[in-house]
Amino acid sequence: MKALVVYDSYFGNTEQIARAVGAAIGDALAAQADVLTLRVGDVKPEYLAGLSLLVVGSPTRAFSASPATKAWLKALTPNSLRGIKVAAFDTRADMNDVNSRTLTTFVKLFGYAAEPIANSLTKRGGVLVVPSEGFFIKDKEGPLKDGELERATAWAKQIAAQV
Ligand SMILES: Cc1cc2nc3c(=O)[nH]c(=O)nc-3n(C[C@H](O)[C@H](O)[C@H](O)COP(=O)(O)O)c2cc1C
């Protein structure tokens, strides 16, 4: 069984989550799974061949996924994910830490990266196996908030249980 975790990351926080997710899926599925964790720019189209599980994660940038993630998702052809199990995550600011009414209003209106990523994946035939998840950073360059790597591991175990 082939699984792929695709991520983008500017400051390394989303990469840390992606690696924790890949490792937890690998641990949970042990010998049954061949799990690759790759930066979005390193994913070749042929990597999707024979894939059973695809997890995509991005930093939230301007209420959306990063440009590289969006471009990669857009390039996926219709039905290219048919029957593949999928999940999506992002890293994001915790609005409890943000002292701006305008920003919190914008976030309520426009949200984060994970949901639109999940929508792109399901639009191409992917089957969403767990609710999308957001992992919190302390500041825009990180680090991750305490406990987020553990939360990512727990989320990944839920994914592995669906495969
Ligand atoms: C230009 C820019 C735009 C951002 N926009 C958002 C946003 O709309 N919502 C949010 O929650 N965080 C936002 N952030 C914080 C990022 O989500 C944070 O930098 C990211 O989670 C760090 O992940 P990385 O280390 O993998 O790049 C933004 C950060 C930058 C630098």
Side-chain angles (χ1 to χ4, degrees):
M1 194 220 90
K2 257 174 70 178
L4 179 62
V5 181
V6 178
Y7 69 89
D8 193 18
S9 190
Y10 294 83
F11 309 114
N13 301 282
T14 316
E15 177 169 8
Q16 280 187 61
I17 298 286
R19 296 207 175 280
V21 167
I25 292 171
D27 283 352
L29 299 176
Q32 297 166 53
D34 169 15
V35 187
L36 259 183
T37 301
L38 289 176
R39 189 178 285 272
V40 66
D42 296 333
V43 182
K44 303 204 172 94
E46 59 264 31
Y47 291 176
L48 295 182
L51 202 62
S52 300
L53 172 67
L54 173 65
V55 182
V56 180
S58 169
T60 302
R61 288 255 162 161
F63 318 103
S64 187
S66 69
T69 308
K70 285 200 276 199
W72 187 78
L73 290 166
K74 205 172 160 201
L76 293 174
T77 52
N79 284 323
S80 55
L81 304 180
R82 183 184 282 186
I84 297 179
K85 293 178 175 169
V86 297
F89 71 91
D90 62 45
T91 54
R92 58 178 70 173
D94 185 344
M95 282 306 130
N96 294 319
D97 300 340
V98 173
N99 223 344
S100 155
R101 260 220 188 141
T102 318
L103 195 55
T104 44
T105 307
F106 268 64
V107 166
K108 277 189 193 131
L109 284 172
F110 300 115
Y112 301 94
E115 292 258 320
I117 292 172
N119 290 340
S120 289
L121 297 173
T122 54
K123 212 170 115 186
R124 285 163 180 80
V127 181
L128 197 66
V129 289
V130 292
S132 304
E133 190 56 277
F135 298 98
F136 294 115
I137 45 152
K138 284 187 181 161
D139 211 336
K140 71 171 190 254
E141 295 193 12
L144 292 161
K145 285 200 155 184
D146 295 344
E148 292 304 79
L149 285 174
E150 292 75 10
R151 214 156 63 76
T153 298
W155 183 70
K157 283 184 184 161
Q158 287 177 39
I159 297 172
Q162 301 296 320
V163 177

